[in-house]
């Protein structure tokens, strides 16, 4: 019985999420109400409130789910690998996995970049910032020894990545995930991060 209830909950949440995405695509975030969503999903409003406090709670949980999925991607590579591998012809594995994940969830990612829903942009930029800071070698974190302070370096890359990802979805994802990952790999390989890494290796 418990397993049946779990499956029922999963099915109900899937109906709610699909209805939410459909209304968002048709009318934007401002067009989503509990009533319209419940009607589209074929459930009553009470069922919706069993799972979510309101529309904003639903949106936040969907965003957090995406961020959690991205944050759980394998991250075994180090920045210095960019200077030693033949990455001009092959995308960096972590970057490739990011784009594969986004490509597998296109409807949600397209909508969370909507200007009416700015919170996801902040969460994604924060994720990129945290993941990059964790990978910056200790010697790069000493701003007194660097011509480019590490906090500015990370701010540059996290904002640049977000802008590129945003443009990818806004342009209809015309380039493949591999093309996007390779583009960013090349930008990193020939950009300020590698220059800073080489500086510390002098």
């Amino acid at each position: 019985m418990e397993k049946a209830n779990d499956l029922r909950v999963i099915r109900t949440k899937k109906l709610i999420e699909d209805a939410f995405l459909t209304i968002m695509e048709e009318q934007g975030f401002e067009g989503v109400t509990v009533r319209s969503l419940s009607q589209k999903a074929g459930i009553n409003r009470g069922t919706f409130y069993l799972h979510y406090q309101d529309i904003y709670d639903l949106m936040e949980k969907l965003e957090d789910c995406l961020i959690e999925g991205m944050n759980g991607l394998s991250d075994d590579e180090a920045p210095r690998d960019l200077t030693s591998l033949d990455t001009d012809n092959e995308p960096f594995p972590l970057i490739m996995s990011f784009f594969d994940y986004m490509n597998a969830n296109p409807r949600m990612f397209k909508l969370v970049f909507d200007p009416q829903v700015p919170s996801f942009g902040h969460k994604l930029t924060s994720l990129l910032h945290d993941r990059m800071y964790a990978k910056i070698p200790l010697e790069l974190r000493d701003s007194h020894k660097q011509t480019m302070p590490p906090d500015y370096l990370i701010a540059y890359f996290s904002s640049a990545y977000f802008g590129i990802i945003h443009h990818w979805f806004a342009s209809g994802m015309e380039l493949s995930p591999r093309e996007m990952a390779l583009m960013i790999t090349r930008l990193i390989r020939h950009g300020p991060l590698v220059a800073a890494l080489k500086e510390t290796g002098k």
Side-chain angles (χ1 to χ4, degrees):
M1 178 64 70
E2 184 177 346
K3 184 175 181 180
N5 289 335
D6 289 342
L7 291 174
R8 193 174 297 115
V9 169
I10 293 172
R11 190 180 304 113
T12 299
K13 287 187 173 183
K14 183 67 167 58
L15 288 172
I16 292 173
E17 292 172 8
D18 286 344
F20 173 77
L21 292 173
T22 299
I23 297 173
M24 280 277 288
E25 289 168 345
E26 296 173 350
Q27 305 176 39
F29 186 69
E30 292 183 349
V32 182
T33 65
V34 174
R35 174 175 292 181
S36 66
L37 191 153
S38 299
Q39 290 176 345
K40 179 74 72 174
I43 61 173
N44 59 55
R45 296 175 66 184
T47 300
F48 174 87
Y49 286 116
L50 284 175
H51 303 288
Y52 306 101
Q53 296 177 12
D54 51 30
I55 297 298
Y56 292 96
D57 182 46
L58 167 61
M59 184 68 195
E60 183 174 0
K61 283 183 168 58
L62 290 174
E63 292 173 348
D64 288 344
C65 183
L66 287 179
I67 291 295
E68 182 179 350
M70 296 185 76
N71 208 27
L73 297 175
S74 176
D75 192 8
D76 296 329
E77 300 83 16
R80 289 195 183 279
D81 292 340
L82 285 166
T83 62
S84 60
L85 300 177
D86 183 20
T87 47
D88 269 346
N89 297 314
E90 288 296 328
F92 202 47
L94 176 61
I95 298 173
M96 187 70 246
S97 63
F98 264 106
F99 278 98
D100 279 339
Y101 179 76
M102 289 185 286
N103 189 58
N105 300 277
R107 290 183 74 198
M108 189 60 203
F109 274 103
K110 286 178 183 177
L111 294 177
V112 294
F113 279 112
D114 190 309
Q116 298 180 52
V117 192
S119 60
F120 183 77
H122 297 313
K123 291 180 181 178
L124 181 56
T125 303
S126 178
L127 169 65
L128 292 170
H129 179 281
D130 292 344
R131 292 292 287 271
M132 289 195 67
Y133 185 81
K135 304 298 283 186
I136 291 293
L138 292 176
E139 64 266 28
L140 275 184
R141 298 182 192 178
D142 187 351
S143 59
H144 299 292
K145 298 180 180 179
Q146 303 303 321
T147 56
M148 181 178 294
D151 54 335
Y152 283 89
L153 184 68
I154 295 170
Y156 166 79
F157 272 106
S158 57
S159 297
Y161 289 167
F162 177 77
I164 290 174
I165 293 169
H166 190 179
H167 183 71
W168 185 46
F169 283 104
S171 62
M173 302 171 69
E174 295 176 347
L175 298 179
S176 70
R178 188 181 190 283
E179 288 175 310
M180 292 299 301
L182 188 56
M183 180 194 308
I184 290 185
T185 297
R186 288 169 174 167
L187 287 172
I188 296 174
R189 183 170 172 76
H190 301 289
L193 175 58
V194 170
L197 288 169
K198 288 181 177 177
E199 181 179 307
T200 62
K202 289 180 179 179

